[in-house]
Amino acid sequence: MIAQKDDRNASTLRIGALTGDGIGHEIVPATIRVVDAALASVGGPAVEWVHLPLGLSAMDEHGTPIPESTLAAVAELECWILGPHDSASYPEPFRSQLTPGGRIRKDFDLFANIRPAKALTGVRALSPQMDLVVVRENTEGFYADRNMSLGSGEFMPTPDVALAVAVFTRRACERIAREAFTLADRRRRKLTIVHKTNVLSMTTGLFRDACRAVGEQFPQVEITEEHVDALAAHLVRRGQDYDVIVAENMFGDILSDLTGELSGSLGTAPSINSSESKAMAQASHGSAPDIAGKNRANPTALFLSAAMLLEWLAPRHRDERLAAAAGRIRHAVDATVESGVATADLGGQASTSAFTETVEARVHRR
């Protein structure tokens, strides 16, 4: 947050930086460099980066991958950047617990997961004209780890029977629908409601009906509805036809990975997780431990996630320089990749550091 929220001359933003695991140790510092350069290029505020321990490195000093001191510090921040975490490599009992990212989303009610999918110029994509956003409800639905005050929401009455609780509330469905319709109204005014009411009539039916009700407040937005399985097929065939897609938690997670790959690569797929008052930038990909420390990671997704974070901040601080800096980052990434400077996953030969240096240099160009 800015020290004087309504003062455009406020000199410092406070943004958290949680490095995480694996390639997080490379892409989070790279993102900090690019954000600082972008803000400087538009005469924007400086950033006080609040570095907080999380992941395997936090376990050595704190005995847990998500220290209470980190959560307490995050509570005092308006926004932060989260690097990927490798919870599968954590020792028990942490491996079986809610992931660090999941814990943060749950503790701070980051109910809206916004995941754009747009092909970058120069990146080979299965759907090169795709330009859509998946708006994913982030707190309930079919993901059992987000549905209980205590416990995981999964249980086994016998060793041979496993059950999971799915939760849909009208309040959660309506608030994510409102986020989606507001976004659609700023874009091409087309919104697709995802459900599976032919089988899950009460749960996804409630989601569909809540979205319909909110849609009545946005008569200018064209509304369509699709079953999740049919939509997956249609995205492959004609992804360019979609604008904003609103979905419950698990459907949104699956569809956004699909659209990320169709538009080029999960390595370029950004996202933010937000509530009414807080936001977290987080790339959609994982920690890639096989290439960690080798200067080969693609930081594009986190760069673009940070740009989304700056755009989220701009209207809250009445500071168009934040949105301008976000635009600089997007343009610099696109121009860099179009010029042929790309990491190996995108068919290029650039290292993480070389790619970052090129993007950093380009954000200063108009």
Side-chain angles (χ1 to χ4, degrees):
M1 57 187 172
I2 297 181
Q4 298 173 313
K5 189 166 184 176
D6 292 326
D7 183 359
R8 263 197 45 134
N9 296 318
S11 60
T12 305
L13 280 164
R14 295 186 72 235
I15 301 178
L18 292 77
T19 301
D21 300 316
I23 61 172
H25 293 276
E26 297 157 85
I27 65 174
V28 171
T31 301
I32 289 173
R33 286 178 55 181
V34 167
V35 169
D36 284 343
L39 287 169
S41 73
V42 298
V47 178
E48 175 192 343
W49 293 99
V50 182
H51 294 272
L52 300 171
L54 177 137
L56 284 168
S57 60
M59 296 186 67
D60 295 336
E61 182 176 353
H62 300 274
T64 174
I66 181 73
E68 291 301 321
S69 59
T70 293
L71 294 172
V74 167
E76 298 299 317
L77 295 169
E78 185 177 24
C79 62
W80 56 93
I81 293 172
L82 177 67
H85 45 72
D86 183 17
S87 53
S89 68
Y90 297 167
E92 292 291 3
F94 305 111
R95 185 186 310 140
S96 300
Q97 294 175 354
L98 197 60
T99 67
R103 174 77 186 276
I104 291 171
R105 285 190 295 267
K106 187 171 184 177
D107 281 15
F108 299 103
D109 195 30
L110 304 180
F111 68 88
N113 187 198
I114 313 300
R115 293 190 170 189
K118 181 179 180 180
L120 293 174
T121 306
V123 174
R124 182 181 298 176
L126 294 172
S127 188
Q129 302 305 313
M130 178 178 283
D131 180 6
L132 60 78
V133 181
V134 176
V135 178
R136 168 191 172 195
E137 202 290 315
N138 217 18
T139 64
E140 47 180 51
F142 291 111
Y143 273 178
D145 65 350
R146 297 170 206 179
N147 292 336
M148 310 291 284
S149 176
L150 295 172
S152 70
E154 288 189 310
F155 49 96
M156 297 182 70
T158 76
D160 301 315
V161 177
L163 304 175
V165 175
V167 175
F168 288 72
T169 63
R170 190 174 300 278
R171 172 179 173 271
C173 296
E174 287 180 345
R175 68 179 181 176
I176 197 63
R178 195 166 293 108
E179 289 286 324
F181 276 101
T182 300
L183 179 59
D185 192 35
R186 298 199 303 263
R187 287 173 51 91
R188 302 196 304 273
R189 294 186 171 179
K190 295 169 60 179
L191 182 138
T192 302
I193 302 170
V194 183
H195 58 82
K196 187 64 177 170
T197 55
N198 59 331
V199 176
L200 301 162
S201 59
M202 287 186 284
T203 50
T204 69
L206 175 59
F207 182 86
R208 177 202 61 192
D209 294 345
C211 290
R212 285 176 175 174
V214 172
E216 293 176 1
Q217 303 167 29
F218 295 84
Q220 69 277 23
V221 176
E222 176 188 344
I223 302 172
T224 58
E225 301 175 10
E226 295 207 38
H227 290 154
V228 62
D229 49 340
L231 178 58
H234 294 159
L235 285 168
V236 173
R237 177 169 294 191
R238 48 183 181 85
Q240 70 277 2
D241 291 349
Y242 294 89
D243 182 18
V244 174
I245 296 169
V246 62
E248 68 83 34
N249 203 340
M250 186 168 69
F251 291 171
D253 194 10
I254 295 168
L255 290 172
S256 59
D257 275 11
L258 172 63
T259 55
E261 284 295 328
L262 289 173
S263 62
S265 166
L266 278 181
T268 65
S271 78
I272 63 167
N273 302 262
S274 64
S275 67
E276 297 293 345
S277 60
K278 293 182 182 291
M280 173 174 75
Q282 180 184 23
S284 299
H285 59 70
S287 63
D290 56 319
I291 62 169
K294 298 180 180 179
N295 202 21
R296 293 170 51 194
N298 183 358
T300 295
L302 200 57
F303 288 175
L304 297 177
S305 298
M308 293 178 69
L309 193 66
L310 293 175
E311 281 193 330
W312 182 88
L313 284 168
R316 287 162 175 79
H317 295 289
R318 304 173 188 176
D319 192 343
E320 67 276 7
R321 296 172 300 174
L322 301 176
R328 289 288 185 97
I329 293 172
R330 286 200 181 90
H331 181 267
V333 167
D334 200 60
T336 297
V337 175
E338 185 179 12
S339 73
V341 178
T343 49
D345 59 309
L346 299 182
Q349 298 181 337
S351 63
T352 307
S353 55
F355 183 82
T356 301
E357 289 166 5
T358 305
V359 172
E360 185 180 6
R362 285 184 180 274
V363 296
H364 291 288
R365 304 178 189 175
R366 291 190 180 275

